[in-house]
């Protein structure tokens, strides 16, 4: 693990999201509760909708383009829909957001 | 400490009795008459229709009733009470929703030495006002109480009203600024317990018992939480608060409580209340905490659920 | 004998001594220092002492006799000033005391936020008996008031205690819901309601600006200008481990004094226990782990093996009658599932968090009777797979109690006297009687028995009784619920929000029995609209409950860029505005500039990061958001009217501008487009708008309910008026009526189709109703008639439009 401080957790409104730019494209960081965060790929595999712009409810997000609903925990599409989004380790410590950078750095080092 | 407590030479309440409905009449279930044998005998012969006598009136009106003079009143046992030196009575109906479970009646003897208070507070215009009360010799405190009212959350009555649970308060007069503290201290009132009294018509009543050290209502008070007791599971209650002159505090010291004292339906005096849902009076000391001879346990219902049991011991 | 010196006579060190005297009497010669002038008392029970439900005497753990019996040399009221580790002595005002082993149990200090005035007399923390005594003293004055800063455990217990003592109490909490570290929003909402029921005022999202007074506390002032008079201010915002002594002695410290699993500090002869300790990165504030530490430390001192481990914690608020329980972990972790149970009628809320077939967290409000059982499941990591479906019903329903699993079976099992409708006191037997008497639908039951006719929360139950009693003969009603989170329809929800005065999202979720923690993408935008339309002053719009376009105040395009369209009032613009638009288009590389159907100019293809800047530039040129993205007022399309047109009968452009200036910024169930044509030739195409005005010689013909989307419809006449003022009044009242009664996402024509044009006409024809509608619209507009671009172009909000971080850049650095 290579925890990178990406900012204060309060920078994201509760039930909101912000993106982080990486070599793998944009990662959406979701805040589902005061101290609860998840990180996934920002791109909906259906038509490329920006998930960070979707409505966050429970531990799920609804894509703003066509209402595909994804679990932020598993990355799996909910209900009858199919599709999976990438999930990334992220955590909150002392009010800071830490994202595991090893997933992105690996390619950078190569 | 002695195992046998000094006999309480003077107590505020002299008689406690439980009347239960049997068909359309109230009959005596159990009473603690001390040595007032003649009054006991008179009571055993009695029964009351709805609206008849003090217990019947409490049933009909669906609220606690204070009666401060028997002569010329609807009280049926006036002669026997007079001979026993009893001058006042309070009847507390116990309703589960709209159904009467029992009526608890306590009787007191009036003299200049006995101090204490049994009060009935009623909500009107958004505050609790004194509906009626019996104070014995605490005349000044009675006057103060008649001129005090309690908004939600304030003081013992207001606290009980807002919380919907019984509350036990300590040191009414001294370290603690009871809203009527100055007068309470002068009257020697030390411990107070407040009980929510759900009325079948939805009105809000609060009953308070204020005990003085010299002529106590009780030397031990307990509040049991009984809401865990649900149909289908073994009915249980846990002791959430209590104070005892002999054992000191009776509450669990940790939070959340670690292994609090529990009572199970039909086991021991509290268990009788849990099982039957009726008030319980015990006079022979059997099964009571060491040093106590008698106890009264009163169920507090919230709608159709038995929510709490309040017990006091002498 | 080992010379043991203990600094701090608190609950943790007290427990250490109990263990030592119990297991090894006479082995230790103890000197006990305490800065407070007394021995050990049960500090967590100060709240009931404050409220009067306990006396100080009751919470004393160790009295003088106990210390004497165990030969403890008590140095109470004496502060230790230093530790000399090389000579193994501690120093205090009374001189030096030598030790073989030393225990630091210095506890914690309250955290005081340095607001202006924080040092005035009358500002107290809530930590020890002195603070408690000061609060009791303040409560002695009749009619005195208190402000409690901090809506956590301690603050709320203080508030309840002070209220019980007769004070007017206000609680200020800086986040959106009380006890936000322990509770979720719904439990926080119920707690707030409970406290308000006790006469305590609760202000959430409160920002304290200053504490003021002449020589002592008199008032507290908030950032928004609210002033609260106050005789005492209780600051209960948190604690900080008291590490000063340990740090000065050179012990290793992080956020607190670091210890190993044997409670040993970096000096092998010095130990630490309690709130001043940091173990494995964790600090401790609740009593259970402190007692665990005490047990381990006692063993260590006696040379036995034991190790401290961090365990799951649980909390109960010590406010009599307030049943609240929270345990375990709600944060982080993958693969979580919530089970939510709500009983709105009894104010019960339970939420369980499950991970990997194990219970990891629980919040309970209103009924905490099973909390011990749930906490046991959390602590033991019990596999709950078998009882998952009935877990929330508690231990009583495990092992056979099948009724809970099948709601219909549960209803079938209810006795006839079981109450179904609490509002009207209707029992199951009465409903069955009605069904036997011919009632066959929910509305029949409502008409005959009144069941479910008031608050409606028993609707589901009544339907189940119908289903159970009638069997296959019962056809479930076709009413569409809002979404999968509830059985209620939009109409039900709107009615209940008004009648039950629900003013927040958690209030809706709890009181209307939502089955999800916080709704979904279908219901949240609707609820958000209903709340802001009905309670504009009480409810704050929630951007997180809006679709992307409304949240970002721009329309997202299929490539993820946005379009920007400023308002051009009535379709009128100026050379300066056009120049500014041209400049902005060039500056931000806008690929497409389009004239829209609503007579506005749209810049398409703007990147999200550029939005605040382009808005700022357009603001500078005097332009504001055109709200091309909202369920709200879009555009008022006009023709040139009597100013220029030889056929024009009235100033249609002027009326269009006036209408747009009245209506702009307002949120509506769906978008609203207006048109004003200067004569019946209708160049502004007003007769296919939601509201269309056609000017005639004698005045203004107002039509409503037009459409030109997938449905094309002509407006229907609503009213004909003589003056501009009347036209504006009718249109305003119409929009407000639509706001107050339409289902979210129904365009006006759909709504009119449901309620009937006659009803709308009747409402607007009644002068009193009309005036009320206009008043309420204006109240709402006092909040919403403002430019969202200007708000979002401010630097701290503008930041939100940028990525949180750019790892590519950081990697390059």
């Amino acid at each position: 693990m290579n925890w990178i401080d990406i900012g204060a957790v309060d920078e994201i409104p509760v039930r909101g999201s912000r993106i982080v730019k990486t070599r793998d494209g944009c990662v959406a960081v979701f805040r589902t509760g005061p101290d609860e965060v998840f990180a996934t790929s920002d791109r909906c595999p259906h038509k490329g909708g920006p998930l960070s712009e979707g409505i966050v409810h429970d531990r799920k997000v609804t894509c703003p383009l066509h209402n595909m609903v994804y679990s932020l925990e598993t990355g799996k599409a909910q209900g009858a829909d199919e599709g999976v989004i990438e999930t990334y380790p992220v955590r909150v410590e002392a009010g800071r957001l830490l994202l595991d950078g090893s997933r992105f750095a690996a390619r950078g080092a190569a | 400490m002695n195992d046998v407590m000094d006999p309480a030479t003077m107590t505020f309440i002299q008689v406690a009795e439980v009347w239960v409905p049997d068909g359309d009449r109230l009959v005596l279930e159990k009473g603690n008459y001390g040595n007032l044998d003649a009054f006991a005998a008179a009571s055993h012969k009695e029964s009351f229709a709805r609206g008849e006598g003090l217990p019947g009136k409490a049933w009909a009106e669906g609220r606690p009733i204070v009666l401060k003079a028997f002569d010329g009143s609807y009280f049926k046992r006036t002669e026997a009470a007079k001979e026993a030196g009893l001058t006042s009575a309070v009847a507390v109906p116990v309703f589960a929703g709209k159904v009467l479970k029992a009526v608890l009646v306590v009787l007191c003897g009036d003299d200049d030495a006995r101090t204490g208070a049994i009060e009935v507070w009623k909500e009107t215009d958004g505050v609790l006002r004194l509906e009626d009360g019996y104070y014995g010799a605490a005349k000044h405190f009675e006057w103060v109480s008649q001129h005090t009212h309690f908004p939600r959350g304030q003081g013992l009555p207001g606290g009980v009203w807002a919380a919907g649970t019984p509350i036990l308060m300590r040191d009414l007069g001294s370290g603690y600024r009871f809203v009527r503290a100055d007068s309470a201290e002068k009257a020697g009132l030390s411990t107070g317990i407040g009980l929510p009294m759900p009325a079948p018509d939805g009105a809000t009543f609060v009953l308070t018992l204020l005990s003085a050290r010299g002529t106590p209502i009780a030397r031990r008070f307990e509040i049991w939480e009984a809401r865990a007791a649900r149909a289908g599971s073994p009915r249980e209650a846990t002791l959430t608060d209590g104070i005892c002159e002999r054992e000191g505090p009776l509450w669990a010291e940790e939070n959340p409580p670690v292994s609090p004292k529990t009572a199970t339906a039909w086991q021991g005096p509290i268990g009788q209340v849990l099982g039957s849902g009726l008030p319980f009076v015990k006079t022979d000391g059997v099964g009571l905490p060491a040093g106590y001879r008698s106890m009264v346990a009163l169920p507090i219902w919230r709608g159709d659920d038995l929510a709490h049991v309040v017990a006091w011991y002498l | 004998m080992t010379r043991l010196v203990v600094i701090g006579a608190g609950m943790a060190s007290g427990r250490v001594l109990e263990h030592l005297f119990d297991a090894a009497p006479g082995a230790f010669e103890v000197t006990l220092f305490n800065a407070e002038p007394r021995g050990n008392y049960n500090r967590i029970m100060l709240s009931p002492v404050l409220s009067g439900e306990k006396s100080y005497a009751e919470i004393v753990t160790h009295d003088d006799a106990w210390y004497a019996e165990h030969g403890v040399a008590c140095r109470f009221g004496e502060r230790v000033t230093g530790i000399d580790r090389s000579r193994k002595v501690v120093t205090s005002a009374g001189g030096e005391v030598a030790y073989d082993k030393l225990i630091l149990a210095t506890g914690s200090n309250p955290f005081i936020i340095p607001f202006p005035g924080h040092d005035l007399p009358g500002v107290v923390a809530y930590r020890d008996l002195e603070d408690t005594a000061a609060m009791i003293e303040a409560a002695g004055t009749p009619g005195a008031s208190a402000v409690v800063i901090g809506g956590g455990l301690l603050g709320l217990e203080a508030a309840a205690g002070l209220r019980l003592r007769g004070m007017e109490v206000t609680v200020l909490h800086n986040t959106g819901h009380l006890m936000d570290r322990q509770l979720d929003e719904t439990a926080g909402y119920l707690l707030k309601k409970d406290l308000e029921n006790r006469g305590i005022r609760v202000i959430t999202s409160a920002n304290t600006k200053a504490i003021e007074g002449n020589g002592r506390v008199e008032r507290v002032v908030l950032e928004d200008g609210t002033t609260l008079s106050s005789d005492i201010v209780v600051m209960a915002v948190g604690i900080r481990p008291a590490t000063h002594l340990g740090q000065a002695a050179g012990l290793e410290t992080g956020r607190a004094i670091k210890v190993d699993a044997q409670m040993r500090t970096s000096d092998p002869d010095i130990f630490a226990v309690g709130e001043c300790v940091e173990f494995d990165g964790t600090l401790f504030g609740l009593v259970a782990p402190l007692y665990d530490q005490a047990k381990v430390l006692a063993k260590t001192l006696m040379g036995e093996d034991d190790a401290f481990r961090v365990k799951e914690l649980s909390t109960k608020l010590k406010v009599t009658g307030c049943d609240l329980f929270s345990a375990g972990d709600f944060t982080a972790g993958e693969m979580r599932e919530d089970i939510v149970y709500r009983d709105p009628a009894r104010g019960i809320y339970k939420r369980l968090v499950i991970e990997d077939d194990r219970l990891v967290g629980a919040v309970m409000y209103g009924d905490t009777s099973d909390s011990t059982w749930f906490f046991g499941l959390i602590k033991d990591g019990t596999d709950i797979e078998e009882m998952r479906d009935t877990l929330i019903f508690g231990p009583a329903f495990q092992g056979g109690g099948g009724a809970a699993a099948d709601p219909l079976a549960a209803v079938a099992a209810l006795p006839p006297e079981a109450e179904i409708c609490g509002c009207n006191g209707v029992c199951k037997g009465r409903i069955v009687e009605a069904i036997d008497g011919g009632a066959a639908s929910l509305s029949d039951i409502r008409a005959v028995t009144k069941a479910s006719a008031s608050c409606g929360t028993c609707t589901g139950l009544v339907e189940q009784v119908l289903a159970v009693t009638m069997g296959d003969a019962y056809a479930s009603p076709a009413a569409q619920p809002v979404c999968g989170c509830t059985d209620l329809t939009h109409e039900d929800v709107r009615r209940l929000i008004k009648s039950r005065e629900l003013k927040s999202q958690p209030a809706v979720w709890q009181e209307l029995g939502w089955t999800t923690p916080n709704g979904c993408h279908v219901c949240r935008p609707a609820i958000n609209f209903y709340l802001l339309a009905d309670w504009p002053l009480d409810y704050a719009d929630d951007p997180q409950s809006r679709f992307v376009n409304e949240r970002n105040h721009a329309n997202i395009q299929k490539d993820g860029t946005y379009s920007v369209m400023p308002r051009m009032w009535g379709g009128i613009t100026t050379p300066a505005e056009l120049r500014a638009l041209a400049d902005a288009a060039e500056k931000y590389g806008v690929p497409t500039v389009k004239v829209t159907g609503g007579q506005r100019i749209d810049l398409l293809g703007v990147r999200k990061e550029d939005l605040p800047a382009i808005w700022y530039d357009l603001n500078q040129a005097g332009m504001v958001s055109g709200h091309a993205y909202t369920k709200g007022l879009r555009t008022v399309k006009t023709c040139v009217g009597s100013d220029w047109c030889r056929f024009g009968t009235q100033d249609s452009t002027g009326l269009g501008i006036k209408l747009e200036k009245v209506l702009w910024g307002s949120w509506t169930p769906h978008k609203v487009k207006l048109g004003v044509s200067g004569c019946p030739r209708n160049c502004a195409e007003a007769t296919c708008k939601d509201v269309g005005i056609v000017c005639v010689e004698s005045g203004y013909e107002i039509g409503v309910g037009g459409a030109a989307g997938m449905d094309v419809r002509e407006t229907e006449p609503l009213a004909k008026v003589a003056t501009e003022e009347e036209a504006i009044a009718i249109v305003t009242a119409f929009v407000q009526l639509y706001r107050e009664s339409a289902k979210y996402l129904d365009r006006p024509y759909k709504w009119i189709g449901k309620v009937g044009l006659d009803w709308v006409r009747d409402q607007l024809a009644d002068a009193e109703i009309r005036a009320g509608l206009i008043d309420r619209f204006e109240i709402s507009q006092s909040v919403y008639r403002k430019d969202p671009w200007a708000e979002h172009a401010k630097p701290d909000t503008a930041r939100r439009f940028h990525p949180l971080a750019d790892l590519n850049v950081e990697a390059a650095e």
Side-chain angles (χ1 to χ4, degrees), chain C residues 141-157:
Chain C
T141 315
S145 53
V147 171
V148 177
I149 300 177
L153 276 171
L154 267 187
L156 298 182
E157 290 179 6

Side-chain angles (χ1 to χ4, degrees), chain B residues 185-201:
Chain B
E185 185 173 10
K186 285 184 191 118
L189 300 174
S190 58
T191 307
I193 191 160
L195 318 172
M197 285 282 126
D201 63 356

Side-chain angles (χ1 to χ4, degrees), chain C residues 436-703:
Chain C
D436 292 344
S441 69
L442 184 61
S443 51
D444 291 350
I445 297 290
R446 278 186 185 150
V448 179
T449 69
K450 287 265 186 295
S452 142
S454 298
C455 87
T457 47
C458 64
T459 303
L461 217 49
V462 173
E463 287 182 341
Q464 285 166 3
V465 175
L466 278 161
V468 164
T469 314
M470 296 174 67
D472 293 340
Y474 177 64
S476 175
Q480 261 317 97
V482 175
C483 62
C485 303
T486 177
D487 292 332
L488 298 170
T489 64
H490 280 275
E491 290 71 20
D492 290 334
V493 171
R494 285 221 83 163
R495 178 169 52 80
L496 293 167
I497 284 175
K498 289 186 181 77
S499 67
R500 302 190 49 201
E501 303 196 6
L502 307 178
K503 298 182 181 180
S504 69
Q505 289 191 16
V508 171
W509 300 326
Q510 173 61 24
E511 303 295 347
L512 304 186
W514 242 242
T515 57
T516 46
N518 47 37
C520 68
H521 66 272
V522 178
C523 59
R524 275 247 302 283
I527 301 300
N528 184 53
F529 169 73
Y530 295 152
L531 287 167
L532 73 83
D534 287 336
W535 310 109
L537 301 183
D538 302 283
Y539 176 78
D541 179 37
D542 173 27
Q544 303 315 322
S545 296
R546 291 196 169 278
F547 293 114
V548 49
N549 292 350
E550 295 185 337
R551 188 174 344 110
N552 288 340
H553 294 279
N555 278 322
I556 194 164
Q557 306 298 316
K558 67 177 202 180
D559 64 351
T561 64
Y562 290 82
S563 68
V564 168
M565 191 200 87
R567 214 163 260 295
M568 285 179 176
W569 308 96
I572 296 289
T573 186
T574 63
E577 284 184 353
L578 291 172
R579 214 169 271 128
L581 273 169
D583 288 346
E586 285 183 350
K587 181 172 171 186
Y588 298 99
V590 170
T592 303
V593 181
K594 167 90 174 68
V595 174
T596 71
Q599 301 179 334
R600 305 292 187 266
I601 292 174
D602 201 2
L603 309 180
L604 293 128
V606 181
R607 290 179 309 156
K608 186 181 177 189
E609 299 93 292
D610 288 337
L611 288 172
I614 197 167
W615 294 339
Y616 178 82
D617 287 359
L618 295 173
N619 272 170
Q620 293 305 298
M623 282 181 274
V624 298
S625 167
H627 292 96
Y629 46 84
T630 58
K631 317 274 182 278
L633 175 81
R634 293 286 180 89
T635 59
V636 182
K637 189 172 174 179
T638 67
C639 67
V640 291
S642 56
D643 271 5
W644 296 93
C645 178
R646 63 203 162 101
F647 299 112
T649 60
Q650 309 280 356
D651 177 13
S652 53
T653 321
L655 175 57
I657 292 172
K658 282 178 193 150
L659 280 169
E660 196 163 344
K661 296 229 166 178
V662 169
L663 299 176
W664 79 291
S666 61
W667 298 101
T668 45
H670 206 307
K671 58 188 172 186
V672 173
K673 294 179 176 179
L674 270 67
V676 185
S677 286
C679 77
R681 287 170 190 78
N682 194 16
C683 294
E685 295 158 357
T687 53
C688 63
K689 300 297 180 207
D690 297 292
V691 179
I693 299 177
V694 176
C695 303
V696 292
E697 286 295 342
S698 57
Y700 305 84
E701 289 176 358
I702 304 168

Side-chain angles (χ1 to χ4, degrees), chain B:
Chain B
M1 272 191 209
N2 295 327
D3 276 328
V4 180
M5 197 159 218
D6 297 336
T9 46
M10 293 257 272
T11 53
F12 188 64
I13 294 173
Q14 283 159 283
V15 170
E17 49 188 21
V18 176
W19 298 83
V20 294
D22 179 10
D24 57 357
R25 295 191 76 79
L26 288 169
V27 296
L28 187 63
E29 162 85 10
K30 177 91 190 187
N32 178 12
Y33 295 94
N35 50 9
L36 304 177
D37 298 335
F39 185 73
S43 300
H44 278 283
K45 278 183 239 154
E46 199 57 79
S47 74
F48 301 94
R50 193 162 188 269
E52 185 189 5
L54 180 63
K57 195 170 158 69
W59 180 8
E61 299 198 359
R63 63 182 179 90
I65 291 178
V66 180
L67 189 58
K68 281 182 280 195
F70 298 149
D71 272 332
S73 78
Y74 45 81
F75 194 75
K76 282 182 71 187
R77 294 168 282 167
T78 306
E79 284 312 312
K82 244 185 193 169
E83 275 169 33
L86 300 168
T87 55
S88 309
V90 180
V92 180
V94 175
F95 282 93
K98 294 184 183 349
V99 180
L100 182 84
K101 304 290 280 187
V103 178
L104 173 76
V105 177
V106 297
L107 295 111
C108 307
D110 210 359
D111 61 49
D112 292 343
R114 283 192 168 87
T115 299
I118 303 174
E119 304 171 306
V120 178
W121 298 86
K122 186 186 185 194
E123 190 249 307
T124 25
D125 305 329
V127 293
L128 286 178
R129 295 175 202 280
L130 188 69
E131 172 92 346
D132 210 341
Y134 173 69
Y135 294 86
K139 298 295 177 210
H140 180 260
F141 187 73
E142 178 171 9
W143 186 87
V144 169
S145 301
Q146 280 163 351
H147 295 84
T148 305
H149 62 84
F150 292 94
R152 269 183 187 275
Q154 289 192 345
L156 178 56
V160 171
W161 176 24
T165 61
I167 291 180
L168 182 55
M169 285 202 167
R170 275 80 161 175
D171 296 337
L172 294 183
S174 58
Y176 148 62
R177 284 179 187 256
F178 188 63
V179 179
R180 299 167 283 170
D182 288 348
S183 185
E185 185 173 10
K186 285 184 191 118
L189 300 174
S190 58
T191 307
I193 191 160
L195 318 172
M197 285 282 126
D201 63 356
T204 299
F205 288 95
V206 172
L207 179 76
T208 55
L209 306 176
L210 309 181
S211 185
R213 228 165 257 286
T215 52
I217 288 176
R219 297 189 191 278
R220 175 185 175 108
F221 290 91
E222 295 173 350
I223 296 177
W224 296 77
E225 165 81 50
R227 274 174 294 173
R230 280 198 294 218
S233 67
R235 294 188 173 207
E236 262 195 3
T238 53
L239 181 63
T240 54
D241 198 7
I243 187 160
C244 171
E245 280 185 21
R246 298 171 61 85
E247 295 171 41
L250 299 176
W251 37 273
E253 291 200 358
E254 291 176 37
N255 182 50
V258 176
S259 52
K261 221 171 162 178
T262 61
T264 309
W266 304 112
Q267 316 249 315
I270 301 298
Q272 297 303 316
V273 181
L274 290 176
S276 66
L278 302 177
F280 184 75
V281 173
K282 191 143 186 72
T283 56
D284 57 6
V286 176
L288 298 189
Y292 291 95
R293 283 201 189 83
S294 68
M295 64 97 75
V296 177
L298 188 63
I300 308 287
W301 291 76
R302 186 182 285 177
D304 295 331
D305 297 326
L306 179 61
H308 296 91
V309 178
V310 170
W312 56 93
Y313 300 76
L314 269 171

Side-chain angles (χ1 to χ4, degrees), chain B residues 152-155 159 162-163 165 168-171 176-177 227-228 230 233 241 249 251 253-256 305, chain C residues 42 51-55 58 137 140 163-168 197-198 291 314 316 320-321 323 346 367 370:
Chain B
R152 269 183 187 275
Q154 289 192 345
T165 61
L168 182 55
M169 285 202 167
R170 275 80 161 175
D171 296 337
Y176 148 62
R177 284 179 187 256
R227 274 174 294 173
R230 280 198 294 218
S233 67
D241 198 7
W251 37 273
E253 291 200 358
E254 291 176 37
N255 182 50
D305 297 326
Chain C
N42 191 345
S51 70
E53 288 166 272
K54 304 270 185 285
S55 62
E58 272 180 273
E137 184 59 35
R163 178 65 188 169
L164 211 51
R165 285 195 181 259
M167 292 189 101
E168 296 301 325
N197 181 41
R198 289 160 197 259
Y291 283 168
S314 66
K316 257 186 170 169
T320 300
D323 290 315
R346 302 160 101 156
D367 174 9
D370 295 329

